[in-house]
Amino acid sequence: MEYVAPNSLDKAAEIAANARGSVRYLAGGTDVLVQLRSGLHQPSLVIDLKRIPGMLDVVRTADGGWKIGAATPATTLNAIKELRQSWPGIVEAAELIGSTQIQGRASLAGNLCNGSPAADTVPAMLAAGATVTIVGANAERKTLSIDDIVKAPGQTHLKPRDIVASINLPARSQKGADAYLRFIPRTEMDIAVVGCAVNMSLDGETVSEASVALGAVAPTVVLVPEAAECLLGTRLEDEAMENLSMSCRAACNPIDDKRGTVEFRISIAGVLAQRAARTAYQRARERQ
Amino acid sequence: MKMMHVTTSINGDPTEFLCDPRETMLDVLRDRLNLTGAKEGCGTGDCGACSIILGGEVICACLMLAAEAEGQDIETVEGMANDENLHPLQKKFLEHAALQCGICTPGILVAAKALLEKTNNPTETEVRYWLAGNLCRCTGYDKIVRAVMDAAEEMRSL
Ligand SMILES: Cc1cc2nc3c(=O)[nH]c(=O)nc-3n(C[C@H](O)[C@H](O)[C@H](O)COP(=O)(O)OP(=O)(O)OC[C@H]3O[C@@H](n4cnc5c(N)ncnc54)[C@H](O)[C@@H]3O)c2cc1C
Ligand code: FES
Ligand code: FES
């Protein structure tokens, strides 16, 4: 195995394009190193992206959105107050990853590219309508939605040599907020049994825009437009909440494992969706 | 196997080493630099026994390639005491008997040091969450948490 740490995206793309064997990009390494050690992936070349200018930076864009360098660790995100105000759900999802030590390294892009259906930040990014800037093989840039990338357990729709340059969050509407919740059997350091993100905007007290995403209840993280539909035009009255739960449960196609049975996951998805919706609603109202 | 030459700083000392690109920082600390304070409990980021501070953030040395250390500042448990003078955390761990076998101790000391550098007045809940990635199979954590709280108090009065 060889290790390189290029200092520009174009250089990284060029090295990857010319590499003969298998290539692995390295952000925080909290998945890469575990997989390297377990023998799951034995790349012939590791390309460390952290020396590329901008990869560890978070910047506010001219339109009020956010551009998060692909290797930015969770701890950096957690420390940015304005980011937490705009996207509390994204930040709270990042704060749930592993431990303090893991958060010192783990990035949103790595969480996305690793392709786990239980990845904590992916439902939050999906519900937020985040986009991803990608540098392809011949250094051309393109922008995809999170939904375009999510594919199957351990896989994404990225081309093997595509590099994620940044995660982009849209500008937050005046009266909007998001929330992410997960269920685990312990209080920390475990993999989501169910995760749910809700993002919404209000018009007065009424939900005018919404999106709902679920994690760990299907082969991939999923957006549930039918569930979002149940919230539109409501003030989260009991009936809307009941419909939200039912839509989320209907969207589940989970597995049985030691952390949770199929029935349990389906049931919890409905509960978490209601709680996440209430939290997002509350936050949105407080922002006015 | 092509070896890599890495120049870094460990506990303030300029350090150079040669390593295999597959080696982790933990491998190099322990096997090449003879800094055996950081322990390998799991090698997969779960136990925190290998905790080190990289550029001010506490991380798992088992999840870092040694090659990544180029030009970085690394702190390990070996750098905590000032010559013969133990760090307040180290003193409080002894005073409170916050260790038994000691395997988890260097990682916990390093992680707690990083916490107290961010906040000198953590709540018990903050201490427990901060140290959630440091497993101890002996003490039951209570004495550890008390030692950290007590060290924080002492450091506030310094
Ligand atoms: C102890 C422990 C606990 C964990 N707990 C959680 C948890 O609670 N929730 C959770 O969701 N995850 C958890 N994880 C998994 C992991 O920490 C996350 O998936 C993390 O976000 C990965 O980010 P990273 O920067 O470390 O990625 P890396 O390990 O560097 O990369 C992950 C994958 O993405 C690819 N990649 C990285 N960056 C790019 C890029 N810019 N362009 C293209 N490809 C790229 C890599 O090649 C690799 O395939 C845990 C891991 C450990 C070891
Ligand atoms: S040895 Fe690194 S976390 Fe266990
Ligand atoms: S003292 Fe033995 S593991 Fe903590």
Side-chain angles (χ1 to χ4, degrees), chain A residues 99 101-102 189, chain B residues 26 38-51 59-63 133-135:
Chain A
S99 56
Q101 287 84 341
I102 301 299
M189 288 289 278
Chain B
L26 183 60
K39 303 283 182 274
E40 182 167 70
C42 65
T44 52
D46 293 290
C47 76
C50 64
S51 296
I59 65 152
C60 296
C62 72
L63 297 185
N134 291 89
L135 302 186

Side-chain angles (χ1 to χ4, degrees), chain A:
Chain A
M1 187 185 103
E2 269 190 85
Y3 166 94
V4 287
N7 57 12
S8 80
L9 276 166
D10 290 347
K11 186 88 195 154
E14 187 191 320
I15 294 170
N18 295 332
R20 265 174 279 123
S22 59
V23 173
R24 206 95 175 117
Y25 292 118
L26 179 68
T30 59
D31 287 315
V32 168
L33 267 281
V34 173
Q35 293 162 2
L36 189 73
R37 281 293 160 126
S38 72
L40 184 66
H41 290 283
Q42 295 286 7
S44 40
L45 176 64
V46 167
I47 304 181
D48 187 353
L49 302 172
K50 292 189 293 296
R51 306 272 164 170
I52 299 170
M55 279 301 217
L56 297 169
D57 298 335
V58 180
V59 290
R60 197 84 199 243
T61 53
D63 67 354
W66 297 85
K67 184 173 162 209
I68 300 171
T72 308
T75 33
T76 303
L77 303 180
N78 302 347
I80 303 173
K81 231 176 113 212
E82 303 79 45
L83 180 65
R84 192 185 283 278
Q85 275 159 5
S86 301
W87 294 102
I90 301 256
V91 175
E92 74 195 344
E95 268 181 332
L96 286 173
I97 297 179
S99 56
T100 314
Q101 287 84 341
I102 301 299
Q103 286 171 29
R105 301 287 267 174
S107 63
L108 298 181
N111 204 212
L112 174 67
C113 296
N114 187 52
S116 165
D120 280 307
T121 67
V122 180
M125 289 194 281
L126 204 49
T131 63
V132 174
T133 303
I134 287 157
V135 178
N138 13 350
E140 97 278 13
R141 270 49 171 183
K142 59 190 173 205
T143 300
L144 295 177
S145 72
I146 300 284
D147 217 14
D148 293 333
I149 292 174
V150 167
K151 182 180 178 188
Q155 288 176 36
T156 66
H157 283 294
L158 291 174
K159 302 222 175 62
R161 308 272 146 118
D162 280 354
I163 305 173
V164 173
S166 66
I167 304 277
N168 315 303
L169 300 177
R172 167 59 81 194
S173 67
Q174 262 304 295
K175 272 180 73 175
D178 61 340
Y180 174 77
L181 284 173
R182 74 172 180 190
F183 178 86
I184 56 171
R186 327 173 55 215
T187 48
E188 69 289 304
M189 288 289 278
D190 206 347
I191 299 167
V193 175
V194 181
C196 180
V198 175
N199 179 31
M200 63 171 72
S201 297
L202 305 185
D203 179 3
E205 304 272 283
T206 307
V207 178
S208 55
E209 286 175 285
S211 46
V212 177
L214 291 170
V217 293
T220 66
V221 172
V222 285
L223 207 50
V224 194
E226 318 82 75
E229 195 73 34
C230 302
L231 298 173
L232 293 180
T234 76
R235 300 173 181 205
L236 307 197
E237 294 88 350
D238 291 350
E239 194 192 340
M241 287 280 104
E242 201 41 53
N243 292 339
L244 171 71
S245 274
M246 281 191 325
S247 308
C248 284
R249 287 180 177 135
C252 294
N253 175 22
I255 53 163
D256 262 322
D257 70 6
K258 63 184 176 199
R259 292 196 175 75
T261 60
V262 167
E263 295 76 12
F264 182 75
R265 285 177 199 256
I266 292 175
S267 164
I268 293 296
V271 176
L272 287 192
Q274 290 195 358
R275 291 185 190 168
R278 285 213 179 85
T279 304
Y281 187 74
Q282 186 63 32
R283 286 176 179 163
R285 287 183 52 185
E286 280 162 11
R287 278 172 62 89
Q288 28 183 327

